[in-house]
């Protein structure tokens, strides 16, 4: 099948899977490249095969969709229309005229370089959680909401017996209900927003009855497991010596600030906290793709402004699995048409386009409701660690701003080393921007992940991946 145009799809979550299946079915040879050992991404994360899970579908509410995608991918791989490369950590995509070289690392220590050459690239790199610090957040037992969900889905394990789920956003619902169903006592779901504010957006609700029904199902599960729901509340501190022992929660006023005298202490050994997600755009930025805000800008065909580069899913804006599936399908069909010389016919993806429009409007409304409370910077004390990699405190950042005149994240980074560690500011960037009082802007990095110097020295000399 080497006579087919070759499309490299980076990321095997919902968007990447949908794009791969759509493109492979319409005359394109696809190489699906992903860092995980199995396809599915975070949303369709599967338990390790060694665990012999009897009912993995119990952790998912779109299991039939996953089965269809998985079966379709397997058929295209068997037919030679697609190749699925697992455990490949992409660190750079190089553009040379009309060809692309995808650079990845494989091996137990991610030290062995591999290159995949293709005629076009489709970025489905997903998103990552926004982390906002507070006193005690570095204690063992405190983890992100997505981390708790990944642990449960991937290893069927939980980090403790009693949990508090806190922060803001719709992700908290499946995390709380998933932990409760796994036998964890969920002491409370602490939501800083007021979900009733969504009722003031009836158009978005009416347009997505499926999402409303999904929310109602989660509410029923919370009631069944006797999970206390505290809206307009926030965790203001985590307590413990060797590990988490309790959290203090407090009510918030209409301005999002702590109401004095409302603090209460909840015993727990696990805190799963999340404040939404941010798009992964590193590879897109190094290719020169234009961003709109913090997301990759795309047209109606999911094309970026770089020729022969498409993007789909959370990298173009956070919107959940259904939106990612719609965008992936459109991107895959568009890429297949463009690469095979056909004239793209939007009618072929009209259903997906309609779904995309409605879901984008729905999640735009969600963003206005589920925003982190304005009080969160007030909770960061001077001795609270903000950048874990470099152990930079809130006090050091405030001194850089007030005493040294820093007015943006980059200057704070130069003065304090906040953001110079292993994660390169991905985790602490939103917190630093909030403390500085500036907008969070994309931080253009030369590579998407750390790379051994030996690999850099010989980049371009690597043979194509053995599967190509």
């Amino acid at each position: 099948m080497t006579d087919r145009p070759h499309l490299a799809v980076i990321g095997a979550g919902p968007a990447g899977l949908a794009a791969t299946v759509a493109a492979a079915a319409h005359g394109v040879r696809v190489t699906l490249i992903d860092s995980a050992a199995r396809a599915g991404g975070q949303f369709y994360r599967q338990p390790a095969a060694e665990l012999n899970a009897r009912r993995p579908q119990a952790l998912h509410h779109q299991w039939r969709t996953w089965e269809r995608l998985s079966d379709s991918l397997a058929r295209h791989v068997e037919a030679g229309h697609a190749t699925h490369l697992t455990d490949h950590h992409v660190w750079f995509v190089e553009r040379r005229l009309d060809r692309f070289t995808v650079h990845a690392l494989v091996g137990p220590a991610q030290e062995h370089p591999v290159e995949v050459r293709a005629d076009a690239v489709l970025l489905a790199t997903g998103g990552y959680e926004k982390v906002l610090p507070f006193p005690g957040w570095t204690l063992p037992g405190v983890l992100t909401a997505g981390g708790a969900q990944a642990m449960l889905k991937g290893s069927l394990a939980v980090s403790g017996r009693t949990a508090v789920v806190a922060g803001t956003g719709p992700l908290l619902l499946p995390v709380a209900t998933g932990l409760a169903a796994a036998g964890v006592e969920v002491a409370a779901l602490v939501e800083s927003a007021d979900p009733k504010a969504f009722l003031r957006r009836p158009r978005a609700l009416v347009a997505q009855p499926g999402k409303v029904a999904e929310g109602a199902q989660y509410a029923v599960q919370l009631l069944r497991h006797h999970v206390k729901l505290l809206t307009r509340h926030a965790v203001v501190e985590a307590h413990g010596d060797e590990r988490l022992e309790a959290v203090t929660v407090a009510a918030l006023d209409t301005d999002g600030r702590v109401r004095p005298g409302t603090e209460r202490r909840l015993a727990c050994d696990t805190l799963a906290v999340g404040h939404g997600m941010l798009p992964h755009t590193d590879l897109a930025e190094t290719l020169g793709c234009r961003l709109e805000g913090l997301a990759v800008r795309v047209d109606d065909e999911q094309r970026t402004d770089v020729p022969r580069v498409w993007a789909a899913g959370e990298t173009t804006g956070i919107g959940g699995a259904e939106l990612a599936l719609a965008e992936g399908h459109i991107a895959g069909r568009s890429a297949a048409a463009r690469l095979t010389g056909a004239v793209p016919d939007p009618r072929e993806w009209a259903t997906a386009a309609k779904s995309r429009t409605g879901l984008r409007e729905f999640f735009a409304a969600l963003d206005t409701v589920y925003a982190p409370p304005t009080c969160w910077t007030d909770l960061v004390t001077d001795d609270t660690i903000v950048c874990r990699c470099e152990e930079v405190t809130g006090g050091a950042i405030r001194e850089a701003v007030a005493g040294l005149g820093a007015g943006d994240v980059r200057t704070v980074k130069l003065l304090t080393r906040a953001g110079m560690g292993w994660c390169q500011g991905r985790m602490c960037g939103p917190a630093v921007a909030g403390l500085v009082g500036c907008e969070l802007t994309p931080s253009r990095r030369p590579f998407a992940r750390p790379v051994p110097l030996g690999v850099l020295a010989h980049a371009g000399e690597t043979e194509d991946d053995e599967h190509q």
Side-chain angles (χ1 to χ4, degrees), residues 239-306:
H239 310 279
D241 293 324
E242 297 297 324
R243 61 166 290 119
L244 180 69
E245 298 172 3
V247 297
T248 294
V249 302
L252 305 177
D253 61 22
T254 54
D255 293 325
R257 300 189 180 281
V258 172
R259 290 168 49 195
T262 63
E263 296 86 354
R264 69 173 94 171
R265 192 177 175 112
L266 300 177
C268 61
D269 54 19
T270 297
L271 171 62
V273 59
H275 292 94
M277 297 184 66
L278 297 169
H280 261 306
T281 60
D282 291 343
L283 295 176
E285 290 179 73
T286 56
L287 278 166
C289 300
R290 184 181 303 177
L291 302 188
E292 195 165 39
L294 297 174
V296 178
R297 180 179 178 181
V298 292
D299 65 8
D300 289 343
E301 293 183 36
Q302 298 295 137
R303 294 181 298 173
T304 72
D305 57 344
V306 176

Side-chain angles (χ1 to χ4, degrees), residues 385-403:
I385 295 291
V386 174
C387 172
R388 298 181 72 163
C389 297
E390 297 294 326
E391 298 186 343
V392 181
T393 64
I397 294 171
R398 290 188 175 107
E399 173 59 25
V401 175

